[in-house]
């Protein structure tokens, strides 16, 4: 189906079983997402709205909608909306209060990012373990001079957040012979780590004091905003490295800059920053012990395929059970 063909590829009806909104992600055309959904729902009508006008018109009668964003203006036009399948893992950008008032069920893309972000985290850890940042500088200078490196084996890795991403990180760390500490809201639930603690200050700081690599893979909440502050960074060992694939504000940026400049910690791998995008004149760009990627850990060519698996299954459940359906990745509003 071409971008100009905004009706359906199957079914021939004006009221689709599933409406796909026009915004894509990671530079991958949204047509690929619509195509993946059609492959999984050959007996359903899937409509892709490729213009603002088509979105406003099509959403009026749509009951099940999926997309990256849904602003309040478009929501007001969605008079029959019952399910919004957010194509991001995070839903903080959505008008959640209004969706709750409208009794719209919201799902997210949790689990889609596990393999790729898990690999990104492992790569970031190995980058600092083997000190590839030093190797890069010496290669640019054409300087053949040995340097000391580290071993990951025997290290302690603390993973904050044991959702799909945190679990994927732990699975990929298992062959490396590390000790793992997990941090979650309900430590009594356990997890895939050798030890699990909560966010209470004493056990959390005790974990930080034993940490060589700190992986942040948690949602941004009132509890986690500014979690890694001045106290946290002075509690970490000076050889510790922070890897942030969560959200920028989980770290106090000013405290991080101070810690990196003062050698309170060895380094940081930042896929997210606060502010974001990171301004061109920000000091983090010029620190030799920082690896920055532009919120890129979530990129995978399989993003739409994994997401379509979840959404297509939920469409079928919704068709069968209606508003009583227990949908995968349903968000508590």
């Amino acid at each position: 189906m071409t971008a100009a063909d905004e009706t359906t590829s199957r079914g021939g009806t004006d009221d689709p079983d599933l409406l796909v909104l026009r915004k894509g992600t990671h530079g991958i055309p949204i047509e690929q997402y619509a195509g993946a959904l059609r492959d999984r729902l050959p007996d359903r009508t899937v409509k892709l709205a490729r213009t603002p006008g088509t979105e406003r018109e099509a959403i009026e009668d749509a009951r099940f909608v999926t997309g990256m964003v849904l602003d309040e203006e478009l929501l007001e036009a969605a008079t029959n909306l019952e399910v919004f399948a957010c194509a991001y893992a995070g839903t903080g950008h959505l008008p959640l209060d209004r969706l709750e008032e409208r009794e719209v069920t919201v799902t997210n893309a949790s689990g889609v990012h596990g393999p790729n972000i898990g690999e990104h985290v492992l790569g970031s850890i190995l980058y600092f373990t083997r000190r590839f940042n030093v190797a890069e500088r010496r290669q640019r200078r054409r300087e053949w001079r040995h340097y000391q490196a580290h071993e990951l084996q025997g290290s302690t890795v603390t993973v904050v957040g044991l959702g799909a991403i945190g679990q994927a990180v732990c699975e990929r760390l298992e062959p490396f012979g590390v000790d793992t500490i997990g941090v979650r809201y309900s430590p009594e639930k356990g997890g895939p780590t050798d030890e699990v603690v909560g966010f209470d200050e004493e056990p959390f700081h005790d974990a930080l004091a034993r940490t060589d690599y700190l992986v942040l893979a948690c949602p941004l909440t009132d509890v986690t905003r500014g979690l890694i502050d001045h106290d946290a960074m002075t509690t970490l060992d000076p050889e510790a490295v922070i890897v942030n694939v969560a959200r920028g504000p989980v770290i106090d940026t000013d405290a991080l800059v101070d810690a990196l400049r003062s050698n309170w910690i060895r380094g940081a791998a930042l896929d997210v920053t606060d502010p974001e995008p990171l301004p061109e004149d920000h000091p983090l760009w010029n620190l030799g012990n920082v690896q920055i990627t532009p919120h890129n850990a979530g990129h995978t060519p399989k993003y739409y395929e994994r997401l379509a698996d979840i959404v297509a299954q939920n469409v079928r459940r919704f068709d069968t059970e209606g508003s009583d359906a227990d949908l995968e990745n349903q968000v508590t509003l």
Side-chain angles (χ1 to χ4, degrees), residues 255-269:
L256 176 64
V257 172
D258 288 344
L260 291 164
R261 282 174 166 169
S262 303
N263 294 318
W264 298 345
I265 59 174
R266 177 154 55 98

Side-chain angles (χ1 to χ4, degrees), residues 101-263:
E101 290 173 10
R102 291 274 304 275
E103 298 184 345
V104 175
T105 298
V106 177
T107 64
N108 64 18
S110 177
V112 170
H113 290 300
N116 46 290
I117 295 186
E119 292 172 4
H120 183 99
V121 168
L122 187 57
S124 298
I125 289 174
L126 291 173
Y127 177 86
F128 279 98
T129 300
R130 301 308 301 169
R131 298 187 71 197
F132 291 138
N133 55 326
V134 176
E136 285 178 341
R137 288 198 301 270
R138 295 188 180 182
Q139 180 177 347
R140 286 196 300 270
R141 298 168 185 165
R142 302 180 184 183
E143 182 180 0
W144 186 274
R145 183 160 60 93
H146 291 282
Y147 57 89
Q148 293 184 337
H150 302 267
E151 279 192 5
L152 182 55
Q153 181 172 286
S155 299
T156 297
V157 182
T158 296
V159 181
V160 182
L162 294 179
I165 293 172
Q167 291 178 40
V169 170
C170 293
E171 289 171 3
R172 283 154 182 77
L173 285 170
E174 190 171 344
F176 285 87
V178 299
D179 296 320
T180 53
I181 304 172
V183 183
R184 68 186 311 172
Y185 290 105
S186 304
E188 66 275 5
K189 293 181 179 179
T193 51
D194 298 314
E195 179 184 345
V196 181
V197 301
F199 286 96
D200 292 338
E201 182 173 333
E202 192 58 34
F204 178 60
H205 278 251
D206 176 70
L208 292 182
R210 296 180 281 136
T211 296
D212 297 298
Y213 297 90
L214 175 63
V215 177
L216 304 174
C218 53
L220 180 62
T221 67
D222 290 342
V223 173
T224 61
R225 184 179 293 274
L227 178 70
I228 309 304
D229 56 9
H230 179 278
D231 284 344
M233 279 181 269
T234 52
T235 301
L236 285 165
D237 189 275
E239 286 296 307
V241 171
I242 297 173
V243 180
N244 190 7
V245 292
R247 288 293 183 268
V250 173
I251 297 179
D252 180 327
T253 300
D254 290 341
L256 176 64
V257 172
D258 288 344
L260 291 164
R261 282 174 166 169
S262 303
N263 294 318

Side-chain angles (χ1 to χ4, degrees), residues 279-297:
E280 291 183 10
D281 59 351
H282 200 281
L284 282 172
W285 285 115
N286 297 316
L287 295 178
N289 52 352
V290 178
Q291 178 199 39
I292 296 175
T293 49
H295 208 141
N296 208 64

